[in-house]
Amino acid sequence: MPGSGLILGIETSCDETAAAIVERGERTVSSVVASQIATHARYGGVVPELASREHLRAIVPVVRGALAEAHLTLADLDAIAVTCGPGLAGALLVGITYAKALAFANNLPLIAVNHLEGHIHAVLLNEREPQTEMSAPSFPQSVQADSKRVGKHEPRTSASAEPALALVVSGGHTHLYLARLAHGAWTYTLIGRTVDDAAGEAFDKVAKLLGLGYPGGPWIDALAKFGNPHAVPFSFAQIKTKVHLGGKPPRTKAAKTAPIARIDPHFLFSFSGIKTAVLRYVELHGLRAESRARVPCVLANFLPPQSRDEALALCPQPTLDLIASFQYAVVGDLMKKTFAASESLGAARILVTGGVAANRELRQRFTAEAARRGLRIAFPTLALSTDNAAMIAAAAWPRLLARDFAPPSLSADPSLALGR
Ligand code: KG4
Ligand code: ZN
């Protein structure tokens, strides 16, 4: 049986270097997130080599920061947990190597955590400590101010209910899982997933082609309310889901993290089509030239706008309508499939988590639909929606109780799947 119940979590799967200390999977003692947004922004996306280099620079101060914030030393800990996949190989390896060294040097057990399971535990952690609100993710100031306000309306559930249907929707993933708790251990069944791009990837790519900043989700979120969501009727019904991929292996990072053969096609997502549809629309209506001329574009070596008001001043109304319509369509598709899966599987509640779960329209519409159906729904706080290490330390707690430790040979698994 653990002594202090304190676990140090380390997360380096993508572009955030994060460390956090969580007690017994239910109380966040400290949490530090060093974002690499400034490094990757000029490229309009994460550059894996730069991500590894930035993790190397940040990992020691970030872990020290988490210990200092908690007024603890390594000797106070019961275990070290680290994300072992899915994610960028080089980025994951920085966290894993450092976690291994710390565990070995301090005679602590090492616990390997799946990043996707971590996102699900972000909601579960919040449920256990409902008053938690850590520092917000590093969005541009004007966007962040708006995003924070949403948190006040976040619905919460206090008691757990199983099975839970979890939608993990981020820059790298769009997956639906049925999560069950049995004898203290969580099990996951894959119910649905994207066959190509993740939803957050679509937000990022659309924002990039319109000349907005990186990551694109917060920009689209901030600008969408100024446009007409019904101006451009994007339809997912016409998008082929490429269910069988002709027997070929999936092409994208998101698609590689889980098999699709056994999944009900109704619960498969596809976001590459809408991204192309937006591009076509922009070309057809001359919005690209106009937006490039009026909104300085990353691709043209200009700086993206620095604030929401600057972007608003530069975006013509048809661009705002396009942004609103895009977001409306993506949220609508996520909702349709999530609620259909929940109904067909008899889920006791819905959990929505991952970076895109920070989206205001998504939270509002999911919440309204859940209320209409009399279903329980929960989201993490905004800080826990995007990548962080508190979710990794929280997910490790049941494994510590079960003494489910990682072998010394633990390595990164960039395509690690979750569940059956
Ligand atoms: O969970 P996360 O930090 O990293 C991954 O595991 O991918 O998610 C990052 C993604 C990015 O694609 C970003 O554009 C998106 O989450 N995102 C949002 C919002 N905030 C972050 N998408 C829509 N609306 C937002 N407010
Ligand atoms: Zn993530």
Side-chain angles (χ1 to χ4, degrees), residues 11 13-14 86 115-116 119 168 170-173 354-355 385-388 391:
E11 154 66 39
S13 67
C14 192
H115 182 80
L116 296 165
H119 274 301
V168 184
S170 69
H173 316 99
S385 295
T386 46
D387 287 351
N388 65 88
M391 67 187 197

Side-chain angles (χ1 to χ4, degrees), residues 53-312:
R53 188 191 72 187
E54 292 303 308
H55 285 308
L56 275 173
R57 283 189 177 152
I59 188 80
V60 174
V62 163
V63 168
R64 283 191 184 153
L67 287 164
E69 198 179 294
H71 304 290
L72 294 170
T73 68
L74 288 162
D76 298 312
L77 302 176
D78 264 354
I80 294 179
V82 66
T83 306
C84 60
L88 302 170
L92 287 163
L93 274 175
V94 175
I96 291 172
T97 309
Y98 189 59
K100 270 190 192 178
L102 276 185
F104 181 74
N106 294 278
N107 202 21
L108 288 166
L110 184 68
I111 300 170
V113 175
N114 183 309
H115 182 80
L116 296 165
E117 182 176 21
H119 274 301
I120 294 172
H121 278 260
V123 194
L124 303 173
L125 172 62
N126 274 161
E127 285 187 339
R128 293 180 211 119
E129 50 168 15
Q131 71 284 15
T132 304
E133 183 66 60
M134 291 179 296
S135 55
S138 44
F139 298 149
Q141 208 57 46
S142 57
V143 181
Q144 180 180 322
D146 265 2
S147 301
K148 267 181 163 174
R149 278 200 283 279
V150 182
K152 293 185 183 142
H153 307 295
E154 282 169 28
R156 292 184 184 281
T157 55
S158 50
S160 65
E162 269 63 62
L165 182 72
L167 170 65
V168 184
V169 60
S170 69
H173 316 99
T174 304
H175 286 60
L176 275 171
Y177 294 100
L178 202 62
R180 290 189 186 85
L181 180 64
H183 311 296
W186 285 91
T187 56
Y188 307 91
T189 309
L190 181 72
I191 301 301
R193 47 160 288 187
T194 179
V195 296
D196 43 51
D197 291 353
E201 213 173 335
F203 272 93
D204 294 339
K205 287 176 177 170
V206 164
K208 182 173 174 176
L209 80 89
L210 291 172
L212 299 168
Y214 174 82
W219 288 98
I220 303 255
D221 187 349
L223 296 174
K225 69 176 175 191
F226 299 98
N228 172 7
H230 306 293
V232 190
F234 291 116
S235 164
F236 278 87
Q238 291 156 16
I239 295 171
K240 291 199 183 83
T241 47
K242 299 176 211 138
V243 180
H244 302 297
L245 295 168
K248 296 185 195 116
R251 282 171 296 141
T252 65
K253 183 182 71 181
K256 279 181 197 151
T257 55
I260 60 170
R262 286 172 287 118
I263 297 176
D264 181 337
H266 292 103
F267 309 141
L268 289 173
F269 299 92
S270 169
F271 294 103
S272 71
I274 192 165
K275 175 196 68 192
T276 312
V278 170
L279 179 62
R280 293 271 146 73
Y281 189 90
V282 163
E283 285 169 351
L284 201 66
H285 293 81
L287 292 180
R288 172 174 240 179
E290 191 173 5
S291 65
R292 275 197 174 175
R294 301 184 63 183
V295 180
C297 183
V298 179
L299 295 175
N301 282 329
F302 291 111
L303 280 176
Q306 297 300 298
S307 69
R308 187 197 66 185
D309 289 344
E310 192 186 333
L312 262 181

